[in-house]
Amino acid sequence: MDLIERPVVSTESGRVRGTALGGVAAFRGVPYAASPVGERRFAAPAPHPSWPEPREAAAPGPAVPQRPSRLEAVMGPRTPDWNEDGSLTLNVWTPRLPTADASPRALPVLLWFHGGGFTSGSGGWDWYDGGRLAAAGEVVVVTANYRLGPLGYLHLPEHGIENLGVQDQATALAWVRRNIASFGGDPGRLTVGGQSAGAFSALHLALSPVTGPQISRLITQSGPFGLAPQDPGEAAEHTRRYLDLLGLTGRRDLPAALRALPVEHLLAGYDRLSQDLSRAGNVAPPMYPVLGGCGMPTTWQQALADGRLDGKELLTGTTRNEMTAFFAFDPRIRTVTADRARAIAAGQLADGAARFDRIAARRPDAAPSEVLTELSTELLFRDDTLAIADHHAAAGNPVYVYRFDYAPADDPARLGAAHCVELPFFFDTLDAYPASPMLGISSDAPAAAARALGRAFSHAAATFTATGRPAVPDWHPYAPGDPATVRHFA
């Protein structure tokens, strides 16, 4: 439908003025919580103050404070755009706004969370522009920021500081439930999704006894479900080491001292902690959602066994070569010997060495680094994605599983279908990835086949959001243990 050039919508805090293009209205940088600055740094999210006049929502808000992503070598660089002030915002794309003289049927909604290892990323980046995805299936698309790194996952529960990033995500979900009708969305038909850390987050939101009942459907892309929520003891130890690096150990006024530091110091300390904890083959960040903290009451295995996901349709999948994104540029992995690679595998899983040997036997021409990369892809991403799909489908729930196999034609780093490669296709935003190594095509003129793949994959995601079934030829519901029911995209 035609939309006015600068549509205005009312939210609980005030009106917002967006933009319209190609039949889709966009409202960017809409606050869902107060800025986490001053006394609000390291505090639970709070309501944003209201504003009297229409607020400009033509541009996204700033990213949450962060260092450059370790995956820029794969996805392409970003110009830093972060600022603590104004960072807790979301973005809404809608193809149908309510009107005063008509009440059209409200549209299904997708709330999607970005990845970045709980350390980087922003829902406002053009990589995740939801315009084409919204148009692909007549759905409302929402992306949101949440606090990252130490600002989001510092573990000081005795001071009320725990899983703040998780709390942000739950607050964004609650905001959508209360406000999305004004944007033409149906709060009763809500899909939550995300990629990588965002998939981890979306799964736990869907499993939570608090937020789960609000969610109808779930999309998980490359969920690192082989990574358990952080153990509270490990989280406490990492926090202790972080405070040592900041020179704050023993401070009785610790929250006030943390709030007084420039945010650049907090990020620099986190960088040093990351370097100190770095081990070959281990990609876990120093701080991420802690088991038993807010929004993370139990493991996904226990929640699944308790039936917490029952009744929700699930779309889930991985890329073929997930771990090349992490290992292809790591000299410790590129030059690893067979004995060292086997030892790393043994440290990852009880039968890791035996699985390493089986892959090596199946791929006699593969270098030890390639064998370790394949095994780590299985352990961190694929095995548990399929385990969740198996359990959910066996319980009689609709499940659709994909594997994304697109690999760049020009691939000197031998990335294959790396972690994150499906994102330009999910949102149909190929032009937002100039010279991205994981794509291997010119952003000025992406290959016709790549554009067609983007249209197909975004249509699948949008129609699943709308109906619980991806409207793609030959994509049938998943049958546990049957690889023929996994839909491949290439």
Side-chain angles (χ1 to χ4, degrees):
M1 63 177 292
D2 292 332
L3 297 167
I4 60 175
E5 184 177 353
R6 297 302 309 277
V8 176
V9 163
S10 294
T11 75
E12 62 191 15
S13 297
R15 291 176 294 166
V16 290
R17 180 183 290 113
T19 59
L21 180 66
V24 174
F27 300 84
R28 299 176 171 91
V30 180
Y32 70 83
S35 291
V37 296
E39 291 300 309
R40 297 240 54 83
R41 183 195 278 176
F42 295 115
H48 193 282
S50 60
W51 50 85
E53 299 298 327
R55 182 187 180 103
E56 282 298 319
V64 171
Q66 59 191 269
R67 290 294 197 218
S69 169
R70 58 185 170 183
L71 293 181
E72 285 195 357
V74 175
M75 301 179 73
R78 297 290 317 186
T79 300
D81 65 340
W82 59 261
N83 192 324
E84 238 180 326
D85 194 8
S87 59
L88 294 186
T89 61
L90 48 74
N91 314 281
V92 182
W93 292 266
T94 177
R96 186 189 301 163
L97 287 171
T99 60
D101 56 353
S103 298
R105 183 174 64 88
L107 299 176
V109 180
L110 169 63
L111 170 60
W112 189 90
F113 293 104
H114 66 81
F118 300 103
T119 302
S120 63
S122 171
W125 289 349
D126 55 354
W127 287 349
Y128 313 129
D129 186 290
R132 289 180 176 171
L133 182 58
E138 282 281 294
V139 296
V140 178
V141 176
V142 185
T143 62
N145 288 352
Y146 53 96
R147 279 173 283 183
L148 304 165
L151 294 166
Y153 301 101
L154 189 70
H155 187 64
L156 291 168
E158 66 274 20
H159 295 290
I161 301 172
E162 62 169 4
N163 286 357
L164 294 174
V166 177
Q167 295 187 55
D168 291 344
Q169 293 167 340
T171 300
L173 173 63
W175 187 98
V176 169
R177 290 271 297 177
R178 294 192 304 269
N179 291 275
I180 206 64
S182 296
F183 297 86
D186 182 353
R189 291 191 290 166
L190 178 58
T191 300
V192 170
Q195 186 264 349
S196 195
F200 183 107
S201 303
L203 175 66
H204 284 278
L205 284 167
L207 292 172
S208 165
V210 176
T211 54
Q214 306 169 31
I215 297 168
S216 304
R217 299 179 180 123
L218 175 64
I219 298 175
T220 66
Q221 305 162 241
S222 298
F225 303 131
L227 179 68
Q230 191 166 32
D231 176 78
E234 179 183 84
E237 172 60 16
H238 288 187
T239 293
R240 184 195 64 77
R241 294 179 65 169
Y242 179 64
L243 296 176
D244 280 347
L245 289 167
L246 295 177
L248 297 181
T249 298
R251 288 288 293 266
R252 299 180 66 178
D253 57 343
L254 185 56
L258 284 164
R259 291 174 179 130
L261 284 177
V263 70
E264 291 85 356
H265 289 199
L266 298 175
L267 297 179
Y270 193 69
D271 273 355
R272 293 196 298 273
L273 179 66
S274 300
Q275 293 164 12
D276 291 347
L277 295 173
S278 179
R279 301 290 183 271
N282 178 21
V283 298
M287 298 177 185
Y288 62 101
V290 178
L291 185 64
C294 292
M296 206 73 49
T298 188
T299 64
W300 63 257
Q301 292 92 337
Q302 184 60 56
L304 218 61
D306 292 341
R308 291 287 181 190
L309 203 60
D310 286 351
K312 306 182 197 303
E313 294 104 337
L314 171 64
L315 188 155
T316 188
T318 63
T319 70
R320 189 182 71 237
N321 309 110
E322 297 274 6
M323 290 300 293
T324 58
F326 303 94
F327 287 176
F329 302 104
D330 186 340
R332 297 171 301 181
I333 301 298
R334 287 203 314 265
T335 60
V336 72
T337 65
D339 287 345
R340 176 60 182 145
R342 194 173 186 274
I344 291 172
Q348 293 175 329
L349 194 70
D351 66 342
R355 287 185 62 168
F356 179 91
D357 291 341
R358 287 197 293 271
I359 295 172
R362 189 172 72 241
R363 299 183 57 191
D365 296 329
S369 60
E370 295 172 313
V371 175
L372 183 61
T373 299
E374 181 172 335
L375 174 59
S376 297
T377 291
E378 294 174 358
L379 296 182
L380 188 59
F381 296 101
R382 187 165 301 133
D383 287 357
D384 288 312
T385 291
L386 293 177
I388 292 169
D390 286 345
H391 184 283
H392 202 50
N397 300 287
V399 177
Y400 294 87
V401 178
Y402 70 86
R403 195 181 79 177
F404 210 82
D405 295 335
Y406 175 91
D410 181 17
D411 190 15
R414 304 183 69 178
L415 293 171
H419 190 64
C420 299
V421 73
E422 89 285 9
L423 288 169
F425 303 92
F426 183 87
F427 286 98
D428 196 9
T429 53
L430 285 162
D431 294 315
Y433 291 79
S436 171
M438 70 183 184
L439 294 178
I441 54 179
S442 167
S443 65
D444 295 329
R451 290 206 182 276
L453 181 59
R455 290 191 296 270
F457 198 52
S458 64
H459 181 67
T463 53
F464 174 83
T465 298
T467 68
R469 180 183 182 278
V472 172
D474 302 321
W475 195 349
H476 305 292
Y478 176 72
D482 183 359
T485 57
V486 176
R487 180 65 157 80
H488 290 251
F489 288 88

